[in-house]
Amino acid sequence: MSTTATRDDASGGGQPPEGAAGRRGSVRSIALWVAVAALGAVAWTVLALARGEAVSALWILFAAICSYAIAYRFYARFITYKVLRTDDSRATPAERLHNGIDYDVTDRRVLFGHHFAAIAGAGPLVGPVLAAQMGYLPGTIWIVVGVIFAGAVQDLTVMFFSMRRNGKSLGQMVREEIGIVGGIAALIAVFTIMIIILAVLALIVVNALAESPWGVFSIALTIPIALFMGLYLRRLRPGRVLEATGIGVALLLLAIIGGGWVQESGLADALTLSKEWLVLALVVYGFVASVLPVWLLLTPRDYLSTFMKIGVIVLLALSLLIARPVLQAEAVTDFAREGTGPVFAGSLFPFVFITIACGALSGFHALISSGTTPKMVAKESQVRLIGYGGMLMESFVAISALIAACVIDQGLYFAMNSPAGATGGAVDTAATFVNGLGFDTSAQDLAAAAAAVQEPTLISRTGGAPTLAVGISQIFSDAFGGGLQAFWYHFAIMFEALFILTAVDAGTRVGRFMLQDTIGNVWKRFGDLSWRPGNVIASAVVVGLWGSVLYIGVTDPLGGVNQLFPLFGIANQLLAAIALTLVTVLLIKHGKLRYAWVTGVPLVWDLVVTMTASWQKVFSDVPAIGYFAQAQRYRDARDAGELLAPATDQGQMDQVIFNSTLNGVLQSFFAVLVIIVVVNAVFVVARALRAGGSLPTTEEPAVPSSLVEPAGLFATAEEKRALAEHEALAGAGAGDGGRR
């Protein structure tokens, strides 16, 4: 590994200047960070100690933001420059292998947006909402602490090591660095887990857009808008990022406004699609997005989507400051202690850490960080902004979702997120149900909540997305007034669908890379990413696989979210275990044993959580928890000639039995594969230690870079001078120029 770092601060800070001005800047900087730390400490103290009194949601907001700021400034900097030793004098794969299709030098601002859009799927929206059943404190701690020491560390390190290996996929790197046996297990595990993840992401989109012409119209228009932006930046006005952004955001807002008009027009019937038709539409879109050049659709669409994502989250944060809502949820509920919650069964450990995956630690991010993104990074130091910073932004989304779920009436929360078998599906029976849980919520309250957002009912709207939309609409209405809660509700639904869909297209492309890498081990031609027939075949296989799982979820009698989300959560974290195992091994192979704790500690925690959860989901005799126990319950009822809700016939009983059994088999299979990878990694580490603390790796040799690029979001004075000098040389024919 390189031991040269061209800058000390990926945010562009560098070393403070010499003399009195530098000392004054240092004093101001110390005072600022002391103030940030003090505010964060006060916020965490209030959250930890306040009981039996009203607690403002702002304390969660302040605790999270202060923690993120300190982590990015200090911990991410330490990892980037001390542990990884990034080297900006070294050409990245985007520069060395530029082909305009997969390898493409991309402006750091555009790439940050693309990466954030690609990693931020259903998890940070849905998981925290479901986990609010346990109270606001467990979720807040895991989201913030988990992202700082696990999730963002994984994304940063995987991106760096993949970039040093020409952007190879996670499974391929495991095969080359850990060995054939562990590598084959990893390739199988990574690919199959990715299929499950993509199917669940798409399932949330289907549930949000089904029977919604407004959503279908608005989301569909983002595709031609993205194509226009791609052509604008590549052909019409190259490099005019802010200009293209302004046009794209304006068109996106028009698309959202137009969706409301379409819903009231004669076009509504044509755009009211069933879940089955949406499955087909998503499969076609995923295929097209995977085979087109990355600059034409994927990058501009994700970048465009990011402005809506970040814009809504920032607006939500501002609305919280204005409205100052009070948390309605308890800090820690009885369901966390007893494990008998109606939203999902299981105790706080390990299921809070599984339910909240994305936003704290997500294995899916390792696929993006070792797939599309490292092929587009201009400078090595930018991995801090894109990898660590992008994950912090997703964590902030998760915190916002948790707050939204915890500020609404908790009787309404449980009425929305409990299954129809528990609530009865009507306001009267739902009110009786939540009263039994200890909440003073009437049928009139539940009916009024539905009327306020112009929905026929909110009872048993499971999956988390509708609850988040209600919370967002309530906060926005309180902050800005105007009686627009219905508008804000439907706006939030569209926001969620757009948020999630961008992860589907990027994930499909990563799946194509993985499949080509894997088959390329035995058929070299197929592994060539520039070979178009291989691209088309691999893309078709990937979308066909996740599309099939998606269809099973859409038609499942128990509901796709209820059946697939637990499998998604555990599988996602098992994937993170594979990624953390890889980067830990690479740190040791590169002679950095003393820094192995950076990834080793979160790896151990993740293995403890995921293996405990896997054991319970497979071997628990409680039907609400164990897959096989659930299958046996329905099998016994079927054999006795009985029907168990929500099944309405014997065919649906058989379907529940099959799906539950399949989930149990897959869960066991994933856990065994991860154990194989970890055991093989232990042997590699032992061999490295016997060899004196290092081993050869597959890292590509260093090639000098001719690019000059800022490291962070904003160029520093030093970077601006370097850019100006480089552009002057480029004007004289001696360089390629850079970007501000």
Side-chain angles (χ1 to χ4, degrees):
M1 292 180 67
S2 172
T3 58
T4 303
T6 60
R7 297 180 184 88
D8 285 327
D9 192 342
S11 63
Q15 292 292 342
E18 298 293 334
R23 289 192 294 273
R24 286 195 298 271
S26 178
V27 171
R28 286 195 298 269
S29 178
I30 293 173
L32 172 64
W33 288 110
V34 168
V36 171
L39 177 58
V42 171
W44 280 114
T45 301
V46 172
L47 294 175
L49 300 181
R51 297 291 184 274
E53 57 186 280
V55 178
S56 172
L58 293 181
W59 290 119
I60 294 181
L61 188 68
F62 293 152
I65 292 176
C66 292
S67 300
Y68 296 152
I70 293 172
Y72 183 81
R73 174 60 181 82
F74 297 101
Y75 194 50
R77 179 181 179 179
F78 163 75
I79 296 172
T80 303
Y81 296 107
K82 194 70 173 178
V83 178
L84 300 179
R85 308 293 286 183
T86 57
D87 182 1
D88 282 354
S89 68
R90 180 176 182 144
T92 64
E95 181 181 356
R96 291 187 291 102
L97 305 175
H98 177 84
N99 60 14
I101 300 175
D102 297 316
Y103 294 95
D104 192 53
V105 176
T106 305
D107 186 280
R108 68 202 181 282
R109 296 161 295 191
V110 176
L111 188 54
F112 177 87
H114 157 72
H115 182 75
F116 170 70
I119 65 174
L125 298 175
V126 176
V129 173
L130 301 180
Q133 168 182 263
M134 301 290 193
Y136 65 78
L137 189 56
T140 299
I141 294 174
W142 172 232
I143 290 170
V144 176
V145 177
V147 73
I148 290 172
F149 295 106
V153 172
Q154 172 205 252
D155 292 13
L156 168 62
T157 53
V158 169
M159 187 181 299
F160 174 81
F161 285 121
S162 176
M163 184 176 59
R164 284 283 179 95
R165 288 157 178 78
N166 289 340
K168 287 181 180 176
S169 66
L170 176 66
Q172 185 67 18
M173 285 193 293
V174 172
R175 182 181 183 276
E176 294 178 354
E177 300 289 354
I178 294 182
I180 297 296
V181 176
I184 292 175
L187 286 169
I188 296 172
V190 170
F191 187 74
T192 52
I193 289 173
M194 186 213 60
I195 295 300
I196 298 296
I197 291 173
L198 288 176
V200 173
L201 293 175
L203 177 63
I204 304 299
V205 175
V206 168
N207 288 342
L209 296 183
E211 314 299 334
S212 174
W214 186 345
V216 170
F217 176 82
S218 300
I219 297 300
L221 277 188
T222 62
I223 299 173
I225 292 172
L227 291 172
F228 169 75
M229 284 185 64
L231 291 171
Y232 192 92
L233 287 170
R234 181 57 64 108
R235 300 281 185 257
L236 301 178
R237 302 274 285 175
R240 304 287 184 173
V241 176
L242 295 180
E243 189 176 298
T245 299
I247 296 173
V249 171
L251 291 174
L252 179 61
L253 292 176
L254 288 176
I256 297 170
I257 295 171
W261 174 80
V262 165
Q263 183 158 285
E264 303 300 326
S265 72
L267 296 174
D269 291 341
L271 293 175
T272 302
L273 302 181
S274 66
K275 291 183 177 181
E276 289 77 10
W277 277 107
L278 283 170
V279 169
L280 178 61
L282 286 177
V283 166
V284 172
Y285 169 73
F287 174 79
V288 172
S290 179
V291 298
L292 285 179
V294 67
W295 61 266
L296 182 59
L297 176 59
L298 188 66
T299 300
R301 187 189 187 284
D302 290 355
Y303 179 61
L304 177 64
S305 302
T306 298
F307 278 88
M308 183 176 179
K309 294 178 178 182
I310 296 178
V312 171
I313 296 303
V314 170
L315 183 61
L316 180 58
L318 293 175
S319 300
L320 289 170
L321 292 173
I322 297 171
R324 298 189 298 277
V326 173
L327 296 171
Q328 302 298 316
E330 298 178 39
V332 182
T333 67
D334 291 338
F335 301 126
R337 306 181 185 94
E338 300 168 1
T340 57
V343 178
F344 64 90
S347 57
L348 189 153
F349 180 85
F351 288 104
V352 156
F353 307 100
I354 296 304
T355 304
I356 301 178
C358 305
L361 173 63
S362 171
F364 176 74
H365 297 186
L367 304 184
I368 305 300
S369 294
S370 64
T372 58
T373 304
K375 296 181 174 69
M376 296 185 283
V377 177
K379 286 294 179 185
E380 288 194 350
S381 60
Q382 292 176 355
V383 296
R384 179 187 177 196
L385 169 68
I386 299 165
Y388 201 96
M391 182 54 183
L392 289 183
M393 179 62 72
E394 178 171 348
S395 182
F396 185 62
V397 172
I399 279 291
S400 301
L402 180 68
I403 292 173
C406 291
V407 298
I408 66 174
D409 176 77
Q410 291 301 284
L412 174 62
Y413 168 84
F414 283 101
M416 293 183 67
N417 289 284
S418 300
T423 64
V427 292
D428 293 335
T429 54
T432 302
F433 169 73
V434 296
N435 288 340
L437 297 177
F439 300 103
D440 186 19
T441 303
S442 66
Q444 291 75 18
D445 295 331
L446 298 177
V453 297
Q454 295 182 16
E455 286 285 299
T457 181
L458 292 176
I459 305 304
S460 295
R461 295 290 299 274
T462 58
T467 303
L468 177 59
V470 168
I472 290 176
S473 68
Q474 179 176 307
I475 293 170
F476 283 177
S477 296
D478 291 344
F480 305 118
L484 296 176
Q485 189 169 349
F487 169 81
W488 288 122
Y489 173 84
H490 289 94
F491 174 83
I493 288 290
M494 299 312 106
F495 153 74
E496 293 170 37
L498 180 63
F499 203 108
I500 298 165
L501 189 57
T502 52
V504 175
D505 51 26
T508 300
R509 196 178 192 91
V510 172
R512 189 253 287 180
F513 293 153
M514 291 169 55
L515 189 58
Q516 287 189 264
D517 279 348
T518 302
I519 298 178
N521 291 318
V522 293
W523 180 13
K524 297 299 183 184
R525 180 63 168 163
F526 198 83
D528 182 0
L529 296 180
S530 63
W531 189 48
R532 298 301 292 175
N535 295 349
V536 172
I537 294 171
S539 297
V541 171
V542 171
V543 297
L545 289 172
W546 67 251
S548 300
V549 178
L550 171 61
Y551 185 79
I552 291 174
V554 163
T555 58
D556 189 283
L558 292 178
V561 172
N562 290 336
Q563 282 288 76
L564 290 179
F565 199 83
L567 181 64
F568 159 80
I570 301 176
N572 195 17
Q573 303 290 52
L574 287 170
L575 189 55
I578 293 176
L580 289 169
T581 298
L582 170 68
V583 293
T584 302
V585 168
L586 283 174
L587 285 175
I588 295 173
K589 290 180 73 172
H590 280 291
K592 294 184 176 291
L593 177 62
R594 61 175 175 163
Y595 295 126
W597 60 267
V598 172
T599 54
V601 170
L603 168 61
V604 171
W605 168 256
D606 187 38
L607 286 173
V608 170
V609 169
T610 52
M611 290 305 164
T612 302
S614 296
W615 180 273
Q616 293 189 21
K617 293 300 291 184
V618 172
F619 295 107
S620 175
D621 57 2
V622 179
I625 297 177
Y627 289 126
F628 292 131
Q630 179 175 262
Q632 189 60 47
R633 177 171 178 260
Y634 275 80
R635 188 179 294 110
D636 292 341
R638 181 198 60 187
D639 295 343
E642 301 173 358
L643 289 177
L644 295 180
T648 58
D649 55 44
Q650 288 299 320
Q652 290 191 345
M653 294 285 288
D654 292 338
Q655 191 174 358
V656 170
I657 294 169
F658 174 81
N659 290 350
S660 299
T661 303
L662 178 62
N663 285 348
V665 171
L666 288 174
Q667 190 66 76
S668 305
F669 181 60
F670 294 155
V672 170
L673 290 176
V674 171
I675 291 173
I676 292 173
V677 173
V678 172
V679 170
N680 277 261
V682 170
F683 284 110
V684 174
V685 169
R687 193 164 67 249
L689 296 178
R690 287 196 301 269
S694 65
L695 286 175
T697 74
T698 60
E699 181 177 292
E700 293 292 324
V703 174
S705 173
S706 62
L707 295 179
V708 176
E709 294 275 348
L713 199 59
F714 303 103
T716 65
E718 179 184 353
E719 289 172 333
K720 288 178 179 179
R721 286 193 297 271
L723 282 165
E725 293 172 2
H726 192 71
E727 288 174 353
L729 291 173
D736 296 323
R739 283 184 284 281
R740 282 175 174 53

